[in-house]
Amino acid sequence: MDDRGASFVAVRRPNPHTDTCNSNSAEAVAGSAAWLGRGLSCVCAQRRDSDAGSFFDLTLAQEECLERLQRRIEVPYDGSIVEHQEALKALWKVAFPEEELRGLISEQWKEMGWQGKDPSTDFRGGGFISLENFLFFARNFPKSFQDLLWKREGDRSVWEYPFAVAGVNITFMLVQMLDLEAVKPRTLVGATFLKFLEENESAFDLLYCIAFKLMDHQWLSMRASYMDFNETIK
């Protein structure tokens, strides 16, 4: 993995606050997004070495969807842009609804798993889309988001992976894995993903949620600790 998205710090597992999620639904990422995860998992199992170096033709609709997604990917996080500032504040609000944020640069951000008191320095690997991914996850699957944030599921390590930095890494990893910066997909996985994207403009955001859950599942299966973070991501 490119070092733009691989740096991390260890964080000590927090004690969960009182559950602040107001959703009464049996919400789970594997629910409404299951069609996407199943489809790509089948394709991944069928990958061939001959896929490398090939280009897959796209329909006009798929080209337009890819171009829109690429425009999102190309936007870097810029702390001087009001829209980006407001998005970061919104992330804090959905993550810690009962705790007031004292500033965009604050030691409080370390509670979420950012490396320092200024989250903007951690977005270099994922860009603004990684913040959008976080917000999509938190707003559409609040229980799963909170469970991951507070490490509520499974037998956890004393020193856990940093939630926020993991999220940025996952965005970066998906962009690379799906070859989304190419003009045309060069792998069957990338071509198949664009079919899903044509059906649902939120396909990348949904896949992000699935990947985050899978990464946490892998972490637990490996009985990993902070030194195993990069290996778990891979």
Side-chain angles (χ1 to χ4, degrees), residues 20-206:
T20 57
C21 176
N22 294 319
S23 173
N24 293 319
S25 65
E27 164 282 302
V29 172
S32 63
W35 58 276
L36 177 60
R38 284 198 301 269
L40 284 179
S41 64
C42 291
V43 172
C44 287
Q46 298 171 18
R47 289 183 67 177
R48 304 181 305 275
D49 292 338
S50 59
D51 288 343
S54 301
F55 285 92
F56 292 81
D57 291 329
L58 303 176
T59 66
L60 179 59
Q62 289 171 351
E63 288 181 357
E64 292 173 347
C65 289
L66 176 59
E67 288 173 1
R68 284 194 292 271
L69 181 55
Q70 287 175 334
R71 286 196 291 271
R72 290 179 62 194
I73 293 169
E74 290 169 359
V75 177
Y77 179 85
D78 187 340
S80 67
I81 298 177
V82 174
E83 178 189 358
H84 294 197
Q85 295 173 5
E86 293 302 315
L88 192 57
K89 292 176 184 176
L91 177 61
W92 178 269
K93 188 173 183 179
V94 294
F96 305 102
E98 296 184 353
E99 184 177 348
E100 183 178 355
L101 179 64
R102 293 188 289 272
L104 290 178
I105 298 179
S106 170
E107 294 289 337
Q108 289 174 284
W109 288 107
K110 294 180 182 179
E111 298 176 32
M112 193 175 178
W114 299 101
Q115 295 187 90
K117 60 183 181 180
D118 183 3
S120 66
T121 61
D122 289 327
F123 282 116
R124 62 191 181 277
F128 185 61
I129 192 174
S130 59
L131 178 50
E132 292 179 318
N133 290 154
F134 269 127
L135 286 170
F136 180 91
F137 194 178
R139 289 167 174 168
N140 289 276
F141 306 103
K143 184 179 183 300
S144 291
F145 180 87
Q146 290 288 333
D147 285 347
L148 288 173
L149 173 62
W150 294 109
K151 310 294 194 300
R152 287 173 175 155
E153 298 179 348
D155 184 13
R156 316 299 309 202
S157 168
V158 174
W159 291 97
E160 278 286 324
Y161 65 84
F163 174 79
V165 175
V168 174
N169 271 266
I170 289 169
T171 298
F172 176 82
M173 174 195 70
L174 289 175
V175 170
Q176 301 303 306
M177 184 183 76
L178 299 173
D179 200 21
L180 293 177
E181 294 174 304
V183 175
K184 289 184 177 181
R186 292 172 287 191
T187 65
L188 182 58
V189 173
T192 303
F193 169 74
L194 291 180
K195 293 181 181 179
F196 290 127
L197 187 64
E198 183 181 7
E199 295 178 26
N200 189 331
E201 284 278 340
S202 298
F204 184 79
D205 302 275
L206 288 167

